[in-house]
């Protein structure tokens, strides 16, 4: 099928660019030194491609992602890099033979892991992002508590999410050094083989972790595009012009904010190249053109500002090589 025959709005993955991104990352982080984060693509088909490229261990953000990955047989080493207070569904996945580790940062989450039947944990350490993670100086005490409850403590994790998007590379670099000093300090108190952290924006700056948790690098978005990283935009939305107003100088396409993660700002219209986005509303994207006009039925292509929520809005990704649709991957790890 030609890509122009797809019903729109369509979520489109450029397979050659995806493979190039996989290869670029794997050169620096081969095998299990990379723990790709499935939250950025929510597709077991894409995860299977990563496993085939030598990355059998994955990060998940939701219990549903863990369940879906395990059901797809991608269960060699799944880390729920997030806190849960009811781990029974994770325990059920363990009972079916999967290796599941869960992040813990409090006595409550430790108790939940033990009660739910999860055998292994990482102590989640706050390294500066105002989100989950214990203070570094409490990591050792939590590790002892987890061990006392029969859990195996594999090590620590700490995600420097407040730094990964900084456009100033020097600021990113010094920030990562400060953050990772906290994680190293916590690791000294906790022990274990695993120091997990990092993301796409710090992929070549974070030299402290034993495994990188990057996910966005696979498909990319315009927010990360501003950092000048060597990863190519592999995710687009194709839309169709459904109405034009030549007198007022605008056209309207069917790619609205319900098809696009907008928390990092507007998408970028990449085709037509002279398009200037006016605004997005629920089901519509209104744009003008410098000196040119659009016709009802024309195609437009946009790159999203933020890959994770964009993917989560769609049921499937259409996989293309050049102008040919070569596959269709269900976005089968959505919801909770
Ligand atoms: C805990 C954790 N690790 C890693 C990542 C992946 O980061 P990136 O999207 O920069 O690749 C995220 C993303 O939000 C995350 O929440």
């Amino acid at each position: 099928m030609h890509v122009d025959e797809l019903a729109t709005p369509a979520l489109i993955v450029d397979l050659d660019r995806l493979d190039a991104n996989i290869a670029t990352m794997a050169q620096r982080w081969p095998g299990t030194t990379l723990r790709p984060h499935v939250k950025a693509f929510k597709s077991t088909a894409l995860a299977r491609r990563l496993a085939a490229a030598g990355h059998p261990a994955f990060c998940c953000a939701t219990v549903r992602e863990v369940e879906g990955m395990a059901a797809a047989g991608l269960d060699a080493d799944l880390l729920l890099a997030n806190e849960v207070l009811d781990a029974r569904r994770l325990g059920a996945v363990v009972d079916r033979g999967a290796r599941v580790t869960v992040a813990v940062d409090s006595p409550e989450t430790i108790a939940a892991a033990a009660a739910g039947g999860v055998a292994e944990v990482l102590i989640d350490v706050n390294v500066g992002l105002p989100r989950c993670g214990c203070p570094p100086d409490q990591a050792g005490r939590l590790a002892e508590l987890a061990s006392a409850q029969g859990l195996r403590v594999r090590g620590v994790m700490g995600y420097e999410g407040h730094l990964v998007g900084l456009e100033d590379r020097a600021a990113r670099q010094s920030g990562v050094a400060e953050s990772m000093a906290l994680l190293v300090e916590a690791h000294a108190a906790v022990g274990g083989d695993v120091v997990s952290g990092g993301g796409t924006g710090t992929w070549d700056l974070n030299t402290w972790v034993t495994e990188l948790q990057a996910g966005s690098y696979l498909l990319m978005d315009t927010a990360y595009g501003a950092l000048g990283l060597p990863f190519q935009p592999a995710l687009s939305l194709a839309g169709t012009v459904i109405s034009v107003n030549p007198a007022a100088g605008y056209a309207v396409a069917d790619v609205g904010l319900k098809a696009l993660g907008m928390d990092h700002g507007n998408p970028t219209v990449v085709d037509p190249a002279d398009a200037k986005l006016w605004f997005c509303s629920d089901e519509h994207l209104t744009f003008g053109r410098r000196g040119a006009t659009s016709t009802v039925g024309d195609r437009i292509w946009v790159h999203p500002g933020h890959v994770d929520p964009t993917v989560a809005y769609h049921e499937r990704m259409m996989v293309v090589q050049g102008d040919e649709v070569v596959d269709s991957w269900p976005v089968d790890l959505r919801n909770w």
Side-chain angles (χ1 to χ4, degrees):
M1 187 198 270
H2 190 276
V3 71
D4 284 346
E5 293 173 57
L6 288 173
T8 59
L11 189 68
I12 294 182
V13 173
D14 183 309
L15 190 59
D16 294 336
R17 288 182 172 198
L18 168 66
D19 284 344
N21 292 343
I22 291 173
T24 300
M25 185 62 91
Q27 271 176 13
R28 169 65 184 84
W29 298 93
T32 52
T33 66
L34 184 70
R35 188 184 279 279
H37 209 318
V38 307
K39 65 175 286 186
F41 53 86
K42 286 187 174 283
S43 157
T44 54
L46 202 161
R48 195 164 283 119
R49 207 165 182 89
L50 285 162
H55 309 297
F58 292 92
C59 263
C60 299
T62 65
V63 173
R64 176 73 191 86
E65 288 173 359
V66 174
E67 289 174 333
M69 290 289 284
L74 296 160
D75 61 355
D77 188 352
L78 297 170
L79 166 63
L80 180 57
N82 204 357
E83 276 64 15
V84 286
L85 286 167
D86 182 350
R88 287 174 295 179
R89 282 164 59 199
L90 296 178
V93 174
V94 173
D95 288 345
R96 290 195 286 272
R99 182 173 193 187
V100 176
T101 304
V102 65
V104 293
D105 69 355
S106 64
E108 291 83 357
T109 47
I110 288 169
V118 180
E120 300 182 281
V121 296
L122 289 185
I123 306 299
D124 189 1
V125 180
N126 188 308
V127 294
L129 173 69
R131 218 172 64 179
C132 299
C134 68
D137 63 359
Q138 288 179 25
R141 185 183 63 82
L142 289 173
E144 284 167 19
L145 187 64
S147 299
Q149 298 197 21
L151 297 164
R152 194 169 90 81
V153 180
R154 294 181 68 185
V156 293
M157 73 158 258
Y159 175 54
E160 70 275 28
H162 56 307
L163 304 169
V164 292
L166 290 184
E167 291 185 21
D168 179 343
R169 183 176 168 84
R172 221 156 66 234
Q173 190 158 22
S174 59
V176 174
E178 277 174 37
S179 274
M180 290 302 113
L182 300 174
L183 192 59
V184 167
E185 172 199 328
H187 183 230
V190 169
D193 297 336
V194 178
V195 180
S196 195
T200 298
T202 54
W203 80 290
D204 62 341
L205 298 174
N206 194 327
T207 54
W208 293 268
V209 293
T210 60
E211 53 174 52
L212 192 82
Q213 300 184 346
S216 300
Y217 79 99
L218 292 155
L219 299 175
M220 289 294 282
D221 53 35
T222 59
Y224 261 140
L227 269 58
L229 305 172
F231 306 110
Q232 305 175 32
L235 186 77
S236 308
L237 264 290
T240 305
V241 173
I242 55 171
S243 183
V244 294
N245 187 330
Y250 69 81
V252 183
D254 59 355
V255 197
L257 59 83
K258 288 182 186 166
L260 285 161
M262 299 270 294
D263 58 315
H264 287 178
N266 282 325
T268 301
V269 183
V270 290
D271 186 13
D274 66 348
K276 182 155 174 24
L277 184 141
W278 286 17
F279 66 95
C280 286
S281 50
D282 284 356
E283 287 83 16
H284 303 107
L285 183 154
T286 298
F287 67 101
R289 297 182 65 177
R290 283 182 291 273
T293 53
S294 289
T295 306
V296 170
D298 283 356
R299 285 292 169 122
I300 78 159
W301 287 67
V302 309
H303 285 162
H306 192 186
V307 60
D308 307 51
T310 299
V311 169
Y313 282 138
H314 295 264
E315 285 179 358
R316 53 185 53 247
M317 308 173 179
M318 308 309 295
V319 184
V320 304
Q321 275 185 302
D323 289 338
E324 279 302 305
V325 180
V326 295
D327 213 339
S328 158
W329 292 343
V331 185
D332 53 350
L333 300 174
R334 301 191 307 161
N335 302 319
W336 290 266

